[in-house]
Amino acid sequence: MSYNNFLYLLNDALSKQDIALALDSVKTFKAADLADILAQLPLENSQKLLLHLPARAYVFSYFKPEEQVKFAHGLTRTDLAEIMGEMPSDKRVDLFKCLDHEQQNTLLPALAQAEREDIRQLSSYVEGTAGAIMSSEYATLKPNMSVKDAIKMLRYEAPDSETIYLAYVLDEARKLLGVLSLKQLILAEEQSNISDLMATDIIFAYFDSDQNEVAKTIARYDLLALPIIDHAGVMVGIVTHDDAMDVAREEATEDFLKSGAVDASSKLSLKSAPILQLYQKRVYWLVFLVFGSLLSGIGIAHFEDIIAANIVLVFFLPLLVGSGGNAGSQSATLMVRALATGDVQFKDWLYLLGRESLVALCLGGTMAFAVSILGYYRGDLMVSLVLALSMMGIVLMGCLIGMSLPFILNRLKLDPASASAPLVTSICDATGVVVYLFIASQLLL
Amino acid sequence: MSYNNFLYLLNDALSKQDIALALDSVKTFKAADLADILAQLPLENSQKLLLHLPARAYVFSYFKPEEQVKFAHGLTRTDLAEIMGEMPSDKRVDLFKCLDHEQQNTLLPALAQAEREDIRQLSSYVEGTAGAIMSSEYATLKPNMSVKDAIKMLRYEAPDSETIYLAYVLDEARKLLGVLSLKQLILAEEQSNISDLMATDIIFAYFDSDQNEVAKTIARYDLLALPIIDHAGVMVGIVTHDDAMDVAREEATEDFLKSGAVDASSKLSLKSAPILQLYQKRVYWLVFLVFGSLLSGIGIAHFEDIIAANIVLVFFLPLLVGSGGNAGSQSATLMVRALATGDVQFKDWLYLLGRESLVALCLGGTMAFAVSILGYYRGDLMVSLVLALSMMGIVLMGCLIGMSLPFILNRLKLDPASASAPLVTSICDATGVVVYLFIASQLLL
């Protein structure tokens, strides 16, 4: 049976109110796949199915935010409150924040007291921080417990915890004392004491740490979860490995879009976002980059005489100017990514600039050699010399601009990833025009 | 005590052979941090410290490949074999593959039979596949066991497994029957049977699956580990969540570098790679892109008369041509990333092209309006009209080229991520020159 066929039959069963058949036909699917299937059914039928799914809150968590909101609008207040009650706390608060003010206000009274409190707490953290992605459901132990009691306690906590593979040992004031893995517990003697077993050199993050730093810490130490504490040492949540992976992926997307001069501040689907929003994400950069091109134009206007006298120069203009932009884009790309992965730090700038100059000389030399042959063929020996010298200068400048721009942006408290290929290209183009036509004006007039 | 101060004292202790003091001073450090510290000590001293570290194989696994090889060269065959024996199987085979042929041959006899066999097996998998990143150390259970026996077995297997939080149920022929989490085991009755508890709708991958697909599967289903099987259903290894995160990160770096027209086939550190290798990673693309610029040059040469007659056209050349390249880069960037994250598929091309045309018309309209004012100011009404029409045409073409190039590359069995900003810019530049000067020649002569 093909996938489309399957969808058709499922939809048919739901339209005929045959819920049992529908449930039976999807029973082998994982939550992530079920979410995909539901998103492809007509809203009415997918709501019908969702409400009857055994793991409905878990499936619901897998929807994209805009789909969650769409579903939420069609559900009764009681159904929505029930599903939200069953959702993991981090996903629940994400959905809550996406709802409009009126919906939030009608929903809150329908939620249980504990969930209301939890939402209030979690939604108070600033977007982009550890607090905004953490979950408040984690397993805790007391320091004076025996291993046997601890395992019993974890059994009891299991349904309400994101993971029981790591348990956090807290004192009376909920201060984080230590961490213990279920593996350690399984391997230990039943009568041992938790405080003797737990690791006290804990890797943690503060609730106001940058979410990218949290993701990097989890990746660096290969952690299952990272405990999040406030500045008094009180534990407030955990960030799990799968959340870290989502953050890393989002961050990579953001950097990638910036590299292409696309505004990455809001998450938009290329497939479903409104045309006007896609337009907005791009128009500012395009208009901004016009100024770079205008500089090139002004450079050209300044040297109009030399161009008019040697129209062959125009033939080589795109080649020379383009090569500088391309070399500069390469430098900026290498630098932005190396900064993002932590391979280089800002203090390495001077050292890297020295290395880059050597690479640029090699690249420029190669390109100069190639272009001088072309120049000799289309012009004469002097043109060939102008081209070779210009190419060396342009590629060198391009590389140094590309390598420096991320650092300069950082100094200006801007994101170094905004040193996009188009921005570098625009700046290098303008510089290249001036270098090329200046050298030409000196040698050819 | 500052970090440099600490390094100095540690180095001093090691130079004086005071191993106990050195070990004591690093005892609170995590393996990942210890690896960083060792990499900053003189080789002789760091080797001395490494050999005495309790978790030395684990620390060693955290070194970058080139550091591992450097260390391996300085160790005696016995020490190296011992450390490799203690390393996780996936890290061990990675190191083995980095050693030169002679070292491999001297090392093999010093390894235990099982490790030799394991290396032989794991190193046979093709780079970039699941087999090449998987580990052969995982916990297994038999279907007819009781929960009590299973927990006992996991205790026994724990030291040699990457994780005991997931256990794989295999039959006599090591065919994968089911999977069970330690959480399930902890929550189950002691006398229950494993075959009744285990999940049989297993998410798995084949040993020859693409490693990026494996990483995506782990992220999609929020898995701790993914079992890898051969085409007969026999289990051959697992890929863990932290390996998946490394793969996702590597993949993001690769795509990012490609977007800047940097060859991403080999992993090079911007900080430590030889100048000549950095040169090689970039020169091919630069030279290749020259051809795009040459096309622009040829376009210009073809319209030399109209340029000579209206030298004001040159002033606007960078602006118009640049805008097409920038808009095209944006389109290509959005498309490449959406393909990489799975947000769009290749079958969506026509639909996306339609949407993109609308976005491009909006973008082109905005830009045309802006440039026509500039044109009127510097030229006359005719120039202004030429500029507006050209801008519309160039931005529209740029967007369609940027959106189509990833699809075309994919059809040619090339990586769509190679549709880099510089490549798109070069192609759009050439197209832009022709569009602009053609329109000018029609309206101005």
Side-chain angles (χ1 to χ4, degrees):
Chain A
M1 186 163 55
S2 79
Y3 186 67
N4 283 334
N5 218 330
F6 162 77
L7 275 184
Y8 176 80
L9 290 176
L10 177 61
N11 196 31
D12 196 48
L14 289 166
S15 300
K16 289 178 185 147
Q17 307 292 344
D18 193 346
I19 307 290
L21 177 64
L23 283 176
D24 192 60
S25 72
V26 299
K27 70 170 189 286
T28 60
F29 284 93
K30 307 284 172 190
D33 299 323
L34 273 173
D36 275 2
I37 291 172
L38 286 177
Q40 289 178 63
L41 292 176
L43 189 59
E44 194 193 342
N45 281 344
S46 60
Q47 267 166 352
K48 215 180 289 173
L49 182 55
L50 178 71
L51 288 176
H52 290 89
L53 285 174
R56 57 188 191 176
Y58 194 51
V59 173
F60 194 77
S61 310
Y62 270 104
F63 284 143
K64 289 180 191 148
E66 65 263 26
E67 285 167 0
Q68 287 188 348
V69 172
K70 208 174 67 184
F71 261 86
H73 275 279
L75 292 174
T76 66
R77 195 177 77 153
T78 332
D79 281 336
L80 181 58
E82 253 184 60
I83 290 183
M84 283 184 78
E86 296 160 15
M87 282 172 82
S89 61
D90 51 343
K91 302 288 190 306
R92 176 168 57 213
V93 69
D94 286 346
L95 168 57
F96 186 79
K97 285 191 279 189
C98 289
L99 296 177
D100 58 45
H101 218 69
E102 200 193 311
Q103 260 191 314
Q104 289 181 347
N105 288 336
T106 30
L107 183 68
L108 274 179
L111 289 169
Q113 164 72 25
E115 288 151 14
R116 239 177 5 237
E117 184 50 32
D118 191 62
I119 286 181
R120 200 195 55 74
Q121 184 77 38
L122 286 180
S123 63
S124 68
Y125 297 108
V126 181
E127 281 301 313
T129 64
I133 53 167
M134 76 189 180
S135 158
S136 54
E137 290 138 335
Y138 46 91
T140 61
L141 297 173
K142 290 184 188 130
N144 50 359
M145 276 178 160
S146 70
V147 165
K148 195 177 172 184
D149 289 342
I151 294 183
K152 209 182 284 172
M153 177 126 177
L154 287 185
R155 254 197 213 119
Y156 176 75
E157 294 184 313
D160 293 323
S161 298
E162 282 241 348
T163 177
I164 56 164
Y165 298 139
L166 288 172
Y168 300 95
V169 186
L170 307 184
D171 71 6
E172 299 294 313
R174 297 193 66 80
K175 276 201 185 168
L176 182 58
L177 300 176
V179 60
L180 206 67
S181 70
L182 185 56
K183 179 172 172 179
Q184 282 174 283
L185 284 174
I186 290 281
L187 292 176
E189 296 295 323
E190 285 204 331
Q191 295 314 318
S192 321
N193 202 294
I194 291 302
S195 56
D196 298 332
L197 277 177
M198 67 186 189
T200 52
D201 47 343
I202 313 162
I203 305 172
F204 62 85
Y206 292 107
F207 69 91
D208 52 0
S209 309
D210 185 303
Q211 61 173 22
N212 296 317
E213 291 310 313
V214 170
K216 273 190 202 167
T217 305
I218 289 176
R220 177 175 168 83
Y221 299 104
D222 294 340
L223 302 175
L224 275 183
L226 185 72
I228 309 296
I229 62 175
D230 68 13
H231 290 283
V234 173
M235 180 147 182
V236 289
I238 58 168
V239 174
T240 53
H241 67 94
D242 46 313
D243 297 329
M245 203 154 171
D246 292 343
V247 168
R249 186 177 140 141
E250 260 175 43
E251 182 66 7
T253 297
E254 232 175 73
D255 279 2
F256 194 82
L257 293 186
K258 279 185 194 151
S259 81
V262 179
D263 173 23
S265 55
S266 59
K267 281 173 259 169
L268 284 185
S269 159
L270 193 56
K271 214 164 147 183
S272 57
I275 300 284
L276 214 66
Q277 284 187 28
L278 285 172
Y279 165 79
Q280 281 171 0
K281 274 176 95 84
R282 298 170 57 174
V283 71
Y284 301 120
W285 264 110
L286 277 189
V287 170
F288 178 77
L289 291 172
V290 160
F291 293 100
S293 309
L294 273 181
L295 288 180
S296 298
I298 293 170
I300 291 176
H302 183 77
F303 291 104
E304 252 173 26
D305 299 342
I306 181 89
I307 295 174
N310 298 274
I311 205 86
V312 64
L313 290 177
V314 185
F315 175 80
F316 287 103
L317 190 65
L319 172 56
L320 284 171
V321 165
S323 298
N326 291 335
S329 302
Q330 289 182 330
S331 302
T333 303
L334 281 166
M335 181 58 75
V336 167
R337 187 63 193 170
L339 284 169
T341 59
D343 187 28
V344 306
Q345 272 93 44
F346 286 101
K347 63 179 169 53
D348 303 322
W349 183 32
L350 266 184
Y351 171 69
L352 290 169
L353 218 54
R355 284 171 59 89
E356 180 68 10
S357 306
L358 290 178
V359 178
L361 284 175
C362 298
L363 291 173
T366 312
M367 304 287 286
F369 177 72
V371 81
S372 65
I373 295 175
L374 280 175
Y376 185 69
Y377 172 74
R378 269 197 78 94
D380 54 25
L381 207 57
M382 261 336 252
V383 169
S384 160
L385 182 64
V386 167
L387 292 176
L389 283 178
S390 305
M391 186 59 106
M392 276 303 278
I394 288 174
V395 169
L396 187 60
M397 300 248 322
C399 288
L400 297 185
I401 290 172
M403 187 119 307
S404 306
L405 201 58
F407 287 97
I408 294 169
L409 288 171
N410 182 261
R411 272 292 144 95
L412 299 174
K413 309 269 175 220
L414 295 169
D415 185 345
S418 305
S420 64
L423 178 62
V424 172
T425 306
S426 291
I427 298 179
C428 292
D429 279 3
T431 329
V433 164
V434 174
V435 170
Y436 175 39
L437 295 178
F438 175 76
I439 291 179
S441 71
Q442 296 301 308
L443 294 182
L444 292 186
L445 274 191
Chain B
M1 184 162 58
S2 78
Y3 185 68
N4 282 334
N5 218 330
F6 162 77
L7 274 185
Y8 176 80
L9 290 176
L10 177 62
N11 196 31
D12 196 49
L14 288 167
S15 300
K16 288 177 184 150
Q17 306 293 342
D18 194 345
I19 307 291
L21 177 65
L23 282 177
D24 192 59
S25 72
V26 299
K27 70 169 186 286
T28 60
F29 285 91
K30 306 283 171 191
D33 300 323
L34 273 172
D36 275 2
I37 292 172
L38 285 177
Q40 288 177 64
L41 293 175
L43 189 60
E44 196 192 340
N45 281 344
S46 60
Q47 266 166 353
K48 217 182 284 172
L49 183 56
L50 178 71
L51 288 176
H52 289 89
L53 286 173
R56 59 187 191 176
Y58 193 50
V59 173
F60 193 77
S61 309
Y62 271 104
F63 285 142
K64 290 181 190 146
E66 63 263 26
E67 286 167 357
Q68 287 189 348
V69 171
K70 208 173 68 182
F71 261 86
H73 275 280
L75 293 173
T76 65
R77 192 177 78 153
T78 332
D79 282 337
L80 181 59
E82 253 184 60
I83 289 183
M84 285 184 77
E86 297 160 16
M87 284 171 81
S89 60
D90 51 344
K91 303 288 190 305
R92 176 167 59 212
V93 70
D94 287 345
L95 168 57
F96 186 79
K97 284 193 277 189
C98 290
L99 297 175
D100 59 44
H101 217 70
E102 200 192 313
Q103 260 191 312
Q104 290 182 346
N105 287 335
T106 29
L107 183 70
L108 274 179
L111 290 168
Q113 165 71 25
E115 288 150 14
R116 233 169 23 229
E117 183 51 31
D118 191 62
I119 287 181
R120 198 194 57 74
Q121 185 77 40
L122 285 181
S123 63
S124 68
Y125 296 108
V126 181
E127 281 300 315
T129 64
I133 53 168
M134 74 187 182
S135 158
S136 55
E137 288 138 337
Y138 48 91
T140 60
L141 297 173
K142 290 184 189 131
N144 50 359
M145 276 178 159
S146 70
V147 165
K148 194 176 172 185
D149 289 343
I151 294 183
K152 207 183 284 172
M153 178 125 176
L154 286 185
R155 252 195 213 121
Y156 176 76
E157 292 183 313
D160 292 324
S161 297
E162 284 241 346
T163 178
I164 57 164
Y165 299 138
L166 288 172
Y168 300 94
V169 186
L170 307 183
D171 70 6
E172 299 294 313
R174 298 191 65 80
K175 275 198 186 171
L176 182 58
L177 301 177
V179 60
L180 207 66
S181 70
L182 185 55
K183 181 171 172 180
Q184 283 174 283
L185 284 174
I186 290 279
L187 293 175
E189 296 294 322
E190 284 205 331
Q191 295 315 316
S192 320
N193 202 294
I194 291 301
S195 55
D196 298 332
L197 279 176
M198 68 186 188
T200 50
D201 47 342
I202 314 162
I203 304 171
F204 62 85
Y206 293 108
F207 70 90
D208 52 1
S209 308
D210 185 305
Q211 61 174 24
N212 296 317
E213 291 309 313
V214 170
K216 274 189 202 168
T217 304
I218 289 176
R220 176 173 169 84
Y221 299 103
D222 294 339
L223 302 174
L224 275 181
L226 185 71
I228 309 296
I229 62 175
D230 69 13
H231 290 282
V234 173
M235 180 148 182
V236 290
I238 57 168
V239 174
T240 53
H241 66 97
D242 46 313
D243 296 329
M245 202 154 173
D246 292 343
V247 168
R249 185 176 143 143
E250 259 175 44
E251 182 66 7
T253 297
E254 230 174 76
D255 279 2
F256 195 81
L257 293 185
K258 279 186 194 151
S259 79
V262 179
D263 172 23
S265 56
S266 58
K267 281 172 258 173
L268 284 185
S269 160
L270 192 55
K271 212 164 149 183
S272 56
I275 300 284
L276 215 65
Q277 283 186 30
L278 286 172
Y279 164 79
Q280 281 172 0
K281 274 174 95 85
R282 299 170 56 175
V283 71
Y284 301 120
W285 264 110
L286 278 189
V287 170
F288 178 76
L289 291 171
V290 160
F291 292 99
S293 311
L294 273 180
L295 288 180
S296 299
I298 292 170
I300 290 175
H302 184 75
F303 291 104
E304 249 171 30
D305 299 341
I306 181 90
I307 294 174
N310 299 276
I311 206 85
V312 64
L313 290 178
V314 184
F315 174 80
F316 288 103
L317 190 65
L319 173 55
L320 285 169
V321 165
S323 298
N326 292 335
S329 301
Q330 290 182 329
S331 303
T333 304
L334 281 166
M335 183 56 77
V336 167
R337 187 63 192 170
L339 283 169
T341 58
D343 186 27
V344 305
Q345 272 92 44
F346 285 101
K347 61 179 170 54
D348 303 321
W349 182 32
L350 267 182
Y351 171 69
L352 291 168
L353 218 54
R355 285 171 59 88
E356 180 68 11
S357 307
L358 289 178
V359 178
L361 284 175
C362 299
L363 292 172
T366 312
M367 304 288 286
F369 176 71
V371 81
S372 64
I373 295 175
L374 280 175
Y376 185 70
Y377 173 73
R378 268 197 78 94
D380 53 27
L381 205 60
M382 262 335 252
V383 169
S384 162
L385 182 65
V386 166
L387 291 176
L389 284 179
S390 303
M391 187 59 107
M392 277 302 277
I394 288 174
V395 169
L396 187 60
M397 300 249 323
C399 288
L400 297 185
I401 291 172
M403 188 117 308
S404 306
L405 201 58
F407 287 96
I408 295 170
L409 288 171
N410 181 264
R411 272 290 146 95
L412 299 174
K413 307 270 175 221
L414 296 169
D415 186 347
S418 305
S420 64
L423 178 61
V424 172
T425 306
S426 292
I427 297 178
C428 292
D429 280 2
T431 329
V433 164
V434 174
V435 170
Y436 175 39
L437 296 178
F438 175 76
I439 291 178
S441 70
Q442 296 301 307
L443 294 182
L444 293 184
L445 272 192

